[in-house]
Amino acid sequence: MKRLTNIFWIFIPILLGILFIILDITYVCPFNYYFHIPCPGCGMTRAFKLILQGNILESLRYNLLAIPLFIFIILSMIFLVVDIIKNQTKYLAYIERISQKYGVWIILAVLVVWMCNIIINGERL
């Protein structure tokens, strides 16, 4: 049961993100609205749309983490489907080990990219 719960919490945000991109849903970022600076994820939807259209370099203008995150999401979906088919939790365990081992570095990278996003895109968003 825990395995199904983990898979649910991974697939639902991914599916919602895909819906946002496909349906071209726009919304106001609450963080940007209240603090008047872009959040770490600001520009991600536009960057994903550009990646799907084949404008990979242009997507970097909106968020530098778009390409690594896009690749991670695609690979995660593939590996999770394989885990479901094989009735394993190998990939979830792998992600947990990576997050424990490199979590601080990942957070630091997000913070650095966030600061770059504020400097580069602060006026535009």
Side-chain angles (χ1 to χ4, degrees), residues 14 16-17 19 25-26 32 36 38 45 47 61-62 83 89 94 98-99 102-103 105-107 109-111:
I14 291 170
L16 287 174
L19 277 175
I25 297 172
T26 57
N32 193 358
H36 306 291
T45 304
R61 288 183 38 226
Y62 288 101
D83 276 359
T89 58
Y94 176 73
I98 292 293
S99 64
Y102 300 108
W105 292 105
I106 293 169
I107 291 170
V110 169
L111 291 175

Side-chain angles (χ1 to χ4, degrees), residues 92-109:
L92 291 174
Y94 176 73
I95 292 296
E96 186 177 350
R97 282 194 312 271
I98 292 293
S99 64
Q100 289 173 351
K101 190 172 183 179
Y102 300 108
V104 173
W105 292 105
I106 293 169
I107 291 170
L108 183 62

Side-chain angles (χ1 to χ4, degrees), residues 38-42 44 63-66 68-69 102-118:
C39 73
C42 275
M44 197 65 75
N63 197 310
L64 294 172
L65 290 177
L69 185 60
Y102 300 108
V104 173
W105 292 105
I106 293 169
I107 291 170
L108 183 62
V110 169
L111 291 175
V112 167
V113 169
W114 183 26
M115 292 301 123
C116 292
N117 200 15
I118 290 171

Side-chain angles (χ1 to χ4, degrees), residues 2-47:
K2 183 180 178 190
R3 185 172 76 87
L4 287 175
T5 305
N6 288 341
I7 291 169
F8 173 80
W9 286 113
I10 292 171
F11 271 118
I12 292 301
I14 291 170
L15 292 175
L16 287 174
I18 291 170
L19 277 175
F20 265 76
I21 292 170
I22 292 172
L23 299 176
D24 201 23
I25 297 172
T26 57
Y27 65 96
V28 175
C29 173
F31 191 90
N32 193 358
Y33 180 78
Y34 289 110
F35 299 111
H36 306 291
I37 58 172
C39 73
C42 275
M44 197 65 75
T45 304
R46 286 171 283 182

Side-chain angles (χ1 to χ4, degrees), residues 50-107:
L50 289 168
I51 290 171
L52 290 172
Q53 293 169 357
N55 299 325
I56 294 173
L57 292 178
E58 191 176 339
S59 72
L60 294 174
R61 288 183 38 226
Y62 288 101
N63 197 310
L64 294 172
L65 290 177
I67 294 171
L69 185 60
F70 187 83
I71 292 169
F72 173 77
I73 289 171
I74 297 299
L75 289 176
S76 294
M77 289 172 53
I78 292 168
F79 290 131
L80 285 172
V81 167
V82 169
D83 276 359
I84 290 169
I85 291 170
K86 291 184 174 183
N87 199 18
Q88 299 175 346
T89 58
K90 195 183 302 185
Y91 185 68
L92 291 174
Y94 176 73
I95 292 296
E96 186 177 350
R97 282 194 312 271
I98 292 293
S99 64
Q100 289 173 351
K101 190 172 183 179
Y102 300 108
V104 173
W105 292 105
I106 293 169
I107 291 170

